[in-house]
Coordinates of all heavy atoms in Angstrom, one line a residue:
L1483 N 241.2 -50.0 84.9 CA 242.5 -50.4 85.4 C 242.4 -51.0 86.8 O 241.9 -50.4 87.7 CB 243.4 -49.2 85.5 CG 243.6 -48.4 84.2 CD1 244.4 -47.1 84.4 CD2 244.2 -49.2 83.1
G1484 N 243.0 -52.2 86.9 CA 243.1 -52.8 88.2 C 244.1 -52.0 89.1 O 245.1 -51.5 88.5
Q1485 N 243.9 -51.9 90.3 CA 244.7 -51.1 91.2 C 246.0 -51.9 91.6 O 245.8 -52.9 92.3 CB 244.0 -50.7 92.5 CG 244.8 -49.9 93.5 CD 245.3 -48.6 92.9 OE1 244.6 -47.8 92.4 NE2 246.6 -48.4 93.1
P1486 N 247.2 -51.5 91.2 CA 248.4 -52.2 91.7 C 248.8 -51.6 93.0 O 248.6 -50.5 93.4 CB 249.4 -51.8 90.6 CG 248.9 -50.5 90.1 CD 247.4 -50.5 90.2
V1487 N 249.4 -52.5 93.9 CA 249.8 -52.1 95.2 C 251.1 -52.8 95.5 O 251.4 -53.9 95.0 CB 248.8 -52.4 96.3 CG1 247.6 -51.5 96.2 CG2 248.3 -53.8 96.2
L1488 N 251.8 -52.3 96.5 CA 253.1 -52.9 97.0 C 252.8 -54.0 97.9 O 253.7 -54.9 98.1 CB 254.0 -51.8 97.7 CG 255.3 -52.3 98.3 CD1 256.2 -52.9 97.3 CD2 255.9 -51.1 99.0
W1489 N 251.6 -54.1 98.5 CA 251.3 -55.1 99.5 C 251.6 -56.5 99.0 O 251.3 -56.9 97.8 CB 249.9 -55.0 99.9 CG 249.5 -53.7 100.4 CD1 250.2 -52.9 101.2 CD2 248.3 -53.0 100.2 NE1 249.5 -51.7 101.5 CE2 248.3 -51.8 100.9 CE3 247.1 -53.3 99.4 CZ2 247.3 -50.8 100.8 CZ3 246.1 -52.4 99.4 CH2 246.2 -51.2 100.1
K1490 N 252.2 -57.3 99.8 CA 252.5 -58.7 99.5 C 252.5 -59.5 100.8 O 252.6 -58.9 101.9 CB 253.7 -58.9 98.7 CG 255.0 -58.3 99.3 CD 256.1 -58.4 98.2 CE 257.4 -57.7 98.7 NZ 258.4 -57.8 97.7
E1491 N 252.5 -60.8 100.8 CA 252.5 -61.6 102.0 C 253.7 -61.4 102.9 O 253.5 -61.3 104.1 CB 252.4 -63.1 101.6 CG 251.2 -63.5 100.9 CD 249.9 -63.4 101.8 OE1 250.1 -63.5 103.0 OE2 248.8 -63.3 101.3
Q1492 N 254.9 -61.3 102.4 CA 256.1 -61.2 103.2 C 256.9 -60.0 102.7 O 257.9 -60.2 102.0 CB 256.9 -62.5 103.1 CG 256.2 -63.7 103.7 CD 256.0 -63.6 105.1 OE1 256.8 -63.1 105.9 NE2 254.8 -64.1 105.6
P1493 N 256.5 -58.8 103.0 CA 257.4 -57.6 102.6 C 258.7 -57.6 103.3 O 258.9 -58.1 104.4 CB 256.5 -56.4 103.0 CG 255.7 -56.9 104.1 CD 255.4 -58.4 103.8
T1494 N 259.7 -57.0 102.6 CA 261.0 -56.9 103.3 C 260.9 -55.8 104.4 O 259.9 -55.1 104.4 CB 262.1 -56.4 102.3 OG1 261.7 -55.1 101.8 CG2 262.2 -57.4 101.1
A1495 N 261.9 -55.7 105.2 CA 261.9 -54.6 106.2 C 261.8 -53.3 105.6 O 261.1 -52.4 106.1 CB 263.1 -54.8 107.1
G1496 N 262.5 -53.1 104.5 CA 262.5 -51.8 103.8 C 261.1 -51.5 103.3 O 260.7 -50.3 103.3
E1497 N 260.5 -52.5 102.7 CA 259.1 -52.3 102.1 C 258.2 -52.0 103.3 O 257.3 -51.0 103.1 CB 258.7 -53.5 101.4 CG 259.5 -53.7 100.1 CD 259.4 -55.1 99.5 OE1 258.9 -56.0 100.1 OE2 259.8 -55.2 98.3
S1498 N 258.3 -52.7 104.4 CA 257.4 -52.5 105.5 C 257.5 -51.1 106.0 O 256.5 -50.4 106.5 CB 257.6 -53.5 106.6 OG 257.2 -54.8 106.2
A1499 N 258.7 -50.5 106.0 CA 258.9 -49.2 106.5 C 258.2 -48.1 105.7 O 258.0 -47.0 106.2 CB 260.4 -48.9 106.6
T1500 N 257.9 -48.4 104.4 CA 257.3 -47.4 103.6 C 255.8 -47.4 103.6 O 255.1 -46.5 103.1 CB 257.7 -47.6 102.1 OG1 257.1 -48.8 101.6 CG2 259.2 -47.6 101.9
L1501 N 255.2 -48.5 104.2 CA 253.7 -48.6 104.3 C 253.1 -47.6 105.2 O 253.5 -47.5 106.4 CB 253.4 -50.1 104.6 CG 254.0 -51.2 103.7 CD1 253.5 -52.5 104.2 CD2 253.6 -51.0 102.3
W1502 N 252.1 -46.9 104.7 CA 251.5 -45.9 105.6 C 250.0 -46.1 105.7 O 249.3 -45.5 106.5 CB 251.7 -44.5 105.1 CG 251.2 -44.3 103.7 CD1 251.9 -44.5 102.5 CD2 250.0 -43.8 103.3 NE1 251.2 -44.2 101.4 CE2 249.9 -43.8 101.9 CE3 248.8 -43.4 104.0 CZ2 248.8 -43.4 101.1 CZ3 247.7 -43.0 103.2 CH2 247.7 -43.0 101.8
F1503 N 249.4 -46.9 104.8 CA 247.9 -47.1 104.7 C 247.4 -47.7 106.0 O 247.9 -48.7 106.5 CB 247.6 -48.0 103.6 CG 246.3 -47.6 102.9 CD1 246.4 -46.8 101.7 CD2 245.1 -48.1 103.3 CE1 245.2 -46.5 101.1 CE2 243.9 -47.8 102.7 CZ 244.0 -47.0 101.6
W1504 N 246.4 -47.1 106.6 CA 245.8 -47.6 107.8 C 244.3 -47.6 107.6 O 243.7 -47.1 106.7 CB 246.1 -46.7 109.0 CG 245.9 -45.3 108.8 CD1 246.7 -44.3 108.3 CD2 244.7 -44.6 109.1 NE1 246.1 -43.1 108.2 CE2 244.8 -43.2 108.7 CE3 243.4 -44.9 109.7 CZ2 243.8 -42.3 108.9 CZ3 242.4 -44.0 109.8 CH2 242.7 -42.6 109.4
L1505 N 243.6 -48.4 108.5 CA 242.2 -48.5 108.5 C 241.5 -48.0 109.8 O 242.1 -48.1 110.8 CB 241.8 -50.0 108.4 CG 242.3 -50.7 107.1 CD1 242.1 -52.2 107.3 CD2 241.7 -50.2 105.9
E1506 N 240.4 -47.4 109.7 CA 239.7 -47.0 110.8 C 238.8 -48.1 111.4 O 238.1 -48.8 110.6 CB 238.8 -45.8 110.5 CG 238.2 -45.1 111.7 CD 239.2 -44.5 112.6 OE1 240.2 -43.9 112.1 OE2 239.1 -44.6 113.8
S1507 N 238.9 -48.4 112.6 CA 238.2 -49.5 113.2 C 237.4 -48.9 114.5 O 237.7 -47.8 114.9 CB 239.1 -50.6 113.6 OG 239.8 -50.3 114.9
P1508 N 236.6 -49.8 115.1 CA 235.9 -49.3 116.3 C 236.8 -48.9 117.4 O 236.5 -48.2 118.3 CB 235.0 -50.5 116.7 CG 234.8 -51.3 115.4 CD 236.1 -51.1 114.6
V1509 N 238.1 -49.5 117.4 CA 239.0 -49.1 118.4 C 240.0 -48.0 118.0 O 241.0 -47.7 118.7 CB 239.8 -50.4 118.9 CG1 238.9 -51.4 119.6 CG2 240.6 -51.0 117.8
G1510 N 239.8 -47.5 116.8 CA 240.7 -46.4 116.3 C 241.4 -46.9 115.1 O 241.1 -47.9 114.5
A1511 N 242.4 -46.1 114.7 CA 243.2 -46.5 113.5 C 244.1 -47.7 113.8 O 244.7 -47.8 114.8 CB 244.1 -45.3 113.2
I1512 N 244.1 -48.6 112.8 CA 244.9 -49.8 112.9 C 245.6 -50.0 111.6 O 245.2 -49.5 110.5 CB 244.0 -51.1 113.2 CG1 243.0 -51.3 112.1 CG2 243.4 -51.0 114.6 CD1 242.3 -52.7 112.2
R1513 N 246.7 -50.7 111.6 CA 247.4 -51.1 110.4 C 247.2 -52.6 110.2 O 247.7 -53.4 111.0 CB 248.9 -50.8 110.5 CG 249.6 -50.9 109.2 CD 251.0 -50.4 109.2 NE 251.2 -49.1 109.8 CZ 251.1 -48.0 109.1 NH1 250.9 -48.0 107.8 NH2 251.3 -46.8 109.7
A1514 N 246.4 -52.9 109.2 CA 246.2 -54.3 108.8 C 247.5 -54.9 108.3 O 248.3 -54.2 107.8 CB 245.0 -54.4 107.8
S1515 N 247.6 -56.2 108.3 CA 248.7 -56.9 107.7 C 248.8 -56.7 106.2 O 247.7 -56.6 105.6 CB 248.7 -58.4 108.1 OG 247.8 -59.0 107.3
P1516 N 250.0 -56.6 105.6 CA 250.1 -56.5 104.2 C 249.4 -57.6 103.5 O 248.8 -57.4 102.4 CB 251.6 -56.5 103.9 CG 252.2 -56.0 105.2 CD 251.3 -56.5 106.3
G1517 N 249.4 -58.8 104.0 CA 248.8 -60.0 103.4 C 247.3 -59.8 103.3 O 246.6 -60.1 102.3
W1518 N 246.7 -59.3 104.4 CA 245.2 -59.1 104.4 C 244.9 -58.0 103.5 O 243.9 -58.1 102.7 CB 244.8 -58.7 105.9 CG 243.3 -58.4 105.9 CD1 242.3 -59.4 106.2 CD2 242.6 -57.2 105.8 NE1 241.1 -58.9 106.2 CE2 241.2 -57.5 105.9 CE3 243.0 -55.9 105.5 CZ2 240.2 -56.5 105.8 CZ3 242.0 -54.9 105.4 CH2 240.6 -55.3 105.6
M1519 N 245.7 -56.9 103.4 CA 245.4 -55.8 102.5 C 245.5 -56.3 101.0 O 244.7 -55.9 100.2 CB 246.4 -54.6 102.7 CG 246.3 -54.0 104.1 SD 244.8 -53.0 104.3 CE 245.3 -51.5 103.5
L1520 N 246.5 -57.2 100.8 CA 246.6 -57.7 99.4 C 245.4 -58.6 99.1 O 244.9 -58.4 98.0 CB 247.9 -58.6 99.4 CG 248.1 -59.3 98.1 CD1 248.2 -58.4 96.9 CD2 249.3 -60.2 98.2
D1521 N 244.9 -59.4 100.0 CA 243.7 -60.2 99.7 C 242.5 -59.3 99.4 O 241.7 -59.6 98.5 CB 243.4 -61.1 100.9 CG 244.4 -62.3 101.0 OD1 245.1 -62.6 100.1 OD2 244.4 -62.9 102.1

Side-chain angles (χ1 to χ4, degrees):
L1483 304 176
Q1485 176 64 50
V1487 290
L1488 177 59
W1489 303 321
K1490 57 187 176 182
E1491 293 294 334
Q1492 299 293 322
T1494 66
E1497 291 163 348
S1498 291
T1500 69
L1501 303 179
W1502 60 271
F1503 215 94
W1504 52 272
L1505 302 171
E1506 191 60 44
S1507 79
V1509 297
I1512 61 168
R1513 188 172 312 270
S1515 74
W1518 183 86
M1519 296 289 279
L1520 176 61
D1521 287 343

